[in-house]
Amino acid sequence: MSALDSKIPSGPLDTKWERFKFESKLINPSNKRKYEVIVVGSGLAGASAAATLGELGFSVKCFCYQDSPRRAHSIAAQGGINAAKNYQNDGDSVQRLFYDTIKGGDFRSREANVHRLAEVSANIIDQCVAQGVPFAREYGGMLANRSFGGAQVSRTFYARGQTGQQLLLGAYSGLNRQIAAGTVKMFPRTEMLDLVLIDGHAKGIVTRDLSTGKIQSYAADCVILATGGYGNVFYLSTNAKGCNVTATYRAHKKGAFFANPCFTQIHPTCIPVSGDYQSKLTLMSESLRNDGRVWAPKKKGDKRPPQQIPEDERDYFLERKYPSYGNLAPRDISSRSAKEACDEGRGVGESGLGVYLDFADSIKRLSENVVRERYGNLFEMYEQITGEDAYKSPMRIFPAVHYTMGGLWVDYNLMSNLPGLFVLGEANFSDHGANRLGASALMQGLADGYFVIPYTIGNYLAPQLGKRPSTDHPEFKKAEQETRDRINRFLSIKGRRSADSFHRELGLLMWDLCGMARSEKSLQRALNRIPTLRQEFWENLSVTGGNEELNQALEKAGRVADFLEFGELTCLDALERRESCGGHFREEYQTPDGEALRDDEHFAHVAAWEFNGIDKAPTRHAEQLNYESVHLSTRSYK
Amino acid sequence: MNLKLKVWRQKSATAEGRLAEYEARNIPPDASFLEMLDILNEELLAKGDEPIAFDHDCREGICGSCSLTINGIPHGPVNLSATTTCQLYMRKFTDGQTIYIEPFRARSFPIVRDLIVDRSALDRIQRSGGYVTARAGSAPDGNAILIPKTEADSAMEAAACIGCGACVASCPNASAMLFVGAKVSHLNRLPQGQPERHQRTLNMVKKMDEEGFGNCSNHYECEAVCPAEIPVTVITQLNRDYAAASVSKAVS
């Protein structure tokens, strides 16, 4: 227990951050350039952190696996970014954004972190506007807003259906300015393969140059991981193909605690799977639920085309079950409701795994032109993928893995239990509890990078001046050698199966046994099967080519090897959390009407796992969540 | 579907490349173009052959990674307006068709391997001026400067560029004018972009020339292949802003 000190400042909730900032250590401007900071990842969190720290005068190295930092997967976020601006005069405030986030997370996040997030949310919008992010505007020139799930106020800022792209390009432009100024050095097509600890402190990384295969170490005064989530442990997800758990999992194996890995978010509005060749799932923005109505036929196995199903034979199940939030119920609840409808045999489409998202009423009410203006690009994307026109017949949607709330454990400084290792954005666990609200991921990524880490990093760095090791240190040499050995092992197995085929099998297993609904039995089965699959991987993997070249099969092998260990941890966490909350739904723990049944007495805590070796049980540490400001209540969106 | 593929294979930047022939068999029409290549790569791996290397990531048309020239056209058949390779589906091809798959070709995009090219020249252009100097913490309230909807929309239209480089690959001059014009137009159309307007325009054009990209001679191939539907009017704006910036520099 004592291993986890969250370092939450004392005093009233709404003054904690202010006081923390004043009490934090500062670093003399002329000393800042003497510090080397490594940032791994160049999405919203990584790019904003690298740019901001560079601007402050630190000497930053930023790494990404893509060919350009602009391609990080934050770019794919569609709907928007929340901020407590209350520009709509509809009752929003920092307190309300804070409360909505805590409640949306089903009371499994840390009050102090979430309050800070709500406080800085308004600054993020200001910062992005100043960078030239072309947010949607009203005719009078003011910023426009839309509504999102889990909120009854309109606080989401957006740029068409491309908000993530525009925010990332904003952060990328700031990063570029620092690269040009010489404060940030960028390493694209470079993958972090290990974390290097010296006397227990994170002081560097080992990387592989993806073009040449060169293994190289970089030393720094601290290491920041902003490497995103682990949704691809399910193989099919809305994540980019390259998204992986390697950076955070390697850090975990070096001692960083992994928190709440079972908190995975299944997004309700994705395009259904169409075949076993499928490589990824595509999200349709949650903003569609502003004007689209979700329904399934009332009758089982009703195969009529949707237009022929009369109104009274349709079940608008979200409106029926959650009249006050209706189609804007939070993601976990909406996803589970769709699954229930399909489990009852009322699913639509060839596979029976889908429900309708219908715009007919909105088109009648607003005209097709207005709907086109709001969602045109999403309708086009739907047509490209499915070949169907959603203006004429409803979209078919099904839930898909989208986001992971779990991540490396961090304290209020966003530092992990390993001194000098900071974790930002989706890669950490801190702000979303058991379920993230729509348009809050962009908010958190940028909050961490622009407004939190610049203040919290000083507390660690100030006493570290002059303590940076060189990469000649034996720990670096050892980590490099281990990395080379591992690569050679992949290359020397010379089996018959591709890394992709193992990944697919793992993903299917995770989806079936640790997906939208989990049970003791399903999780035990998963825990039995994963080690067997992992063993086969190490005996029967096929990787062609060598290390000293661009080798995508080799890259995949490394990532899948980590997923094969990490998947087991996810299932174990899901097994040990004997309650249902947010995105974690255990069949044994539900209310009579099928809602998640939390167990606050035993599980109002963060589970943080300590690695003890492969095939050895990890240790589960608990950080108790103390609620001073909110009252733990049963989440109701009815 | 069964298809004949002629795919560019090149082991490294310095190695000699060639078109290799493959048969893609039993491809579902609902598979994407990249999934078709995934299926082929699985077969190659099973035979112990090296899979075809290609850049891809988000597979939803926004990251700009995928970069294939398909039957001579970047991102494939142009009659499907505004698509990236990853959003191209096999149902748009016919059974038995021969498909040529090559990298995005341009002098400024050296080949890394097979279908992967090095587009870092585009990043270097952005670094030369594609930003507004706005330090975190110094920004005024988001509504302090009003921006008429039409201006915000026109900036967004230009800002939608995904940086894939198809415009360069489609241009007979390998010009990056659409790419540069998009960023210059995005920022120069907004009040936030005004203080650095002239310097930005001059720096980005200078860098574009240094990186070896050609000039625009009005073929409009770029507009035809652009997955983000960036219109060539951004090139008009780039020319106009460049002229204004040059004059301003000459008289100041």
Side-chain angles (χ1 to χ4, degrees), chain A residues 313-620:
Chain A
E313 291 181 42
R314 300 176 176 192
D315 176 19
Y316 293 91
F317 53 83
L318 290 177
E319 296 172 23
R320 171 173 58 81
K321 289 159 71 175
Y322 309 100
S324 69
Y325 280 71
N327 292 298
L328 287 174
R331 291 175 172 176
D332 52 340
I333 288 176
S334 308
S335 292
R336 258 196 318 275
S337 299
K339 178 182 187 292
E340 275 165 28
C342 296
D343 288 350
E344 290 161 16
R346 300 191 289 124
V348 301
E350 247 172 69
S351 61
L353 294 175
V355 295
Y356 290 123
L357 179 62
D358 198 334
F359 290 85
D361 285 351
S362 292
I363 290 173
K364 240 183 271 168
R365 181 166 49 90
L366 300 164
S367 85
E368 187 171 317
N369 272 342
V370 173
V371 171
R372 192 181 299 275
E373 186 165 289
R374 285 188 191 165
Y375 311 108
N377 61 330
L378 298 170
F379 278 60
E380 269 170 40
M381 191 159 88
Y382 184 80
E383 180 162 12
Q384 262 170 355
I385 294 172
T386 62
E388 294 167 22
D389 180 357
Y391 294 104
K392 301 215 160 61
S393 64
M395 289 182 181
R396 282 175 299 110
I397 54 165
F398 195 67
V401 175
H402 178 57
Y403 185 88
T404 53
M405 283 73 69
L408 290 182
W409 183 88
V410 289
D411 64 16
Y412 191 73
N413 293 289
L414 302 183
M415 189 165 86
S416 76
N417 58 305
L418 298 177
L421 180 69
F422 292 83
V423 192
L424 315 187
E426 190 178 351
N428 75 27
F429 87 102
S430 72
D431 295 344
H432 305 295
N435 174 55
R436 178 176 64 75
L437 291 181
S440 285
L442 303 183
M443 173 172 70
Q444 188 219 337
L446 290 180
D448 288 359
Y450 284 134
F451 297 111
V452 179
I453 191 72
Y455 291 93
T456 62
I457 202 169
N459 289 321
Y460 173 75
L461 284 182
Q464 294 289 319
L465 188 63
K467 294 188 183 167
R468 183 173 64 250
S470 108
T471 52
D472 295 331
H473 192 286
E475 284 299 326
F476 278 101
K477 296 298 153 207
K478 189 171 145 226
E480 282 175 30
Q481 194 52 47
E482 283 168 1
T483 302
R484 282 194 193 94
D485 291 347
R486 189 173 141 93
I487 287 171
N488 289 335
R489 211 176 143 199
F490 292 133
L491 291 168
S492 61
I493 299 170
K494 299 206 183 301
R496 306 178 58 86
R497 283 184 68 179
S498 68
D500 257 348
S501 81
F502 285 103
H503 195 179
R504 258 177 218 279
E505 188 175 340
L506 173 71
L508 206 58
L509 182 162
M510 292 292 294
W511 177 249
D512 286 343
L513 304 176
C514 189
M516 261 189 287
R518 300 142 179 196
S519 67
E520 174 113 20
K521 206 172 126 200
S522 75
L523 294 165
Q524 291 288 10
R525 270 182 62 204
L527 288 168
N528 280 331
R529 281 172 55 188
I530 295 172
T532 319
L533 184 62
R534 191 165 62 226
Q535 192 183 346
E536 195 200 336
F537 174 89
W538 286 106
E539 286 165 1
N540 198 19
L541 173 73
S542 159
V543 178
T544 51
N547 177 56
E548 277 70 36
E549 58 183 321
L550 188 145
N551 188 340
Q552 291 175 319
L554 179 61
E555 294 166 24
K556 280 182 197 164
R559 295 169 193 167
V560 174
D562 289 330
F563 277 133
L564 280 165
E565 291 177 24
F566 175 76
E568 192 175 357
L569 183 67
T570 305
C571 293
L572 187 60
D573 186 46
L575 180 70
E576 293 298 326
R577 188 167 280 278
R578 292 185 164 80
E579 65 161 351
S580 294
C581 59
H584 171 63
F585 191 77
R586 282 283 300 267
E587 285 169 353
E588 304 93 321
Y589 309 100
Q590 51 181 308
T591 62
D593 53 352
E595 302 291 340
L597 186 62
R598 284 200 331 258
D599 177 354
D600 292 334
E601 194 186 333
H602 300 102
F603 289 99
H605 63 236
V606 177
W609 294 89
E610 179 181 4
F611 182 78
N612 291 322
I614 304 169
D615 299 324
K616 276 192 199 137
T619 310
R620 187 179 192 271

Side-chain angles (χ1 to χ4, degrees), chain A residues 34-46:
Chain A
K34 296 179 188 162
Y35 287 98
E36 292 268 354
V37 176
I38 282 175
V39 179
V40 187
S42 67
L44 286 183

Side-chain angles (χ1 to χ4, degrees), chain A residues 142-373:
Chain A
M142 309 266 191
L143 290 158
N145 290 114
R146 55 167 59 142
S147 306
F148 248 65
Q152 287 178 319
V153 296
S154 194
R155 64 159 77 95
T156 304
F157 296 78
Y158 62 100
R160 285 194 196 162
Q162 289 152 262
T163 317
Q165 179 202 27
Q166 292 309 313
L167 295 177
L168 182 62
L169 293 182
Y172 164 75
S173 73
L175 180 64
N176 277 336
R177 193 161 67 82
Q178 295 308 316
I179 296 171
T183 60
V184 178
K185 191 164 178 349
M186 190 69 219
F187 298 80
R189 281 201 207 278
T190 308
E191 182 167 24
M192 166 184 161
L193 292 180
D194 213 350
L195 177 73
V196 179
L197 297 184
I198 290 173
D199 301 328
H201 288 239
K203 290 293 177 194
I205 60 173
V206 176
T207 62
R208 179 172 180 270
D209 180 324
L210 299 182
S211 303
T212 64
K214 189 176 179 199
I215 305 295
Q216 193 167 349
S217 292
Y218 296 91
D221 294 282
C222 71
V223 175
I224 297 175
L225 300 185
T227 51
Y230 48 83
N232 275 350
V233 70
F234 293 89
Y235 186 73
L236 282 182
S237 80
T238 65
N239 286 6
K241 292 295 287 175
C243 291
N244 65 79
V245 75
T246 289
T248 46
Y249 192 72
R250 302 265 115 206
H252 173 61
K253 289 181 90 165
K254 287 288 172 89
F257 293 174
F258 215 109
N260 298 337
C262 79
F263 288 168
T264 52
Q265 179 167 80
I266 317 277
H267 194 291
T269 55
C270 299
I271 299 177
V273 178
S274 65
D276 57 10
Y277 53 84
Q278 194 148 351
S279 60
K280 81 154 271 161
L281 295 171
T282 303
L283 172 78
M284 303 300 321
S285 167
E286 177 165 321
S287 61
L288 290 168
R289 288 200 275 146
N290 270 302
D291 289 307
R293 300 178 69 195
V294 179
W295 64 276
K298 283 186 181 164
K299 251 197 331 224
K300 268 188 198 176
D302 192 337
K303 288 288 168 201
R304 286 176 291 176
Q307 296 87 343
Q308 289 175 21
I309 300 179
E311 199 60 27
D312 61 351
E313 291 181 42
R314 300 176 176 192
D315 176 19
Y316 293 91
F317 53 83
L318 290 177
E319 296 172 23
R320 171 173 58 81
K321 289 159 71 175
Y322 309 100
S324 69
Y325 280 71
N327 292 298
L328 287 174
R331 291 175 172 176
D332 52 340
I333 288 176
S334 308
S335 292
R336 258 196 318 275
S337 299
K339 178 182 187 292
E340 275 165 28
C342 296
D343 288 350
E344 290 161 16
R346 300 191 289 124
V348 301
E350 247 172 69
S351 61
L353 294 175
V355 295
Y356 290 123
L357 179 62
D358 198 334
F359 290 85
D361 285 351
S362 292
I363 290 173
K364 240 183 271 168
R365 181 166 49 90
L366 300 164
S367 85
E368 187 171 317
N369 272 342
V370 173
V371 171
R372 192 181 299 275
E373 186 165 289

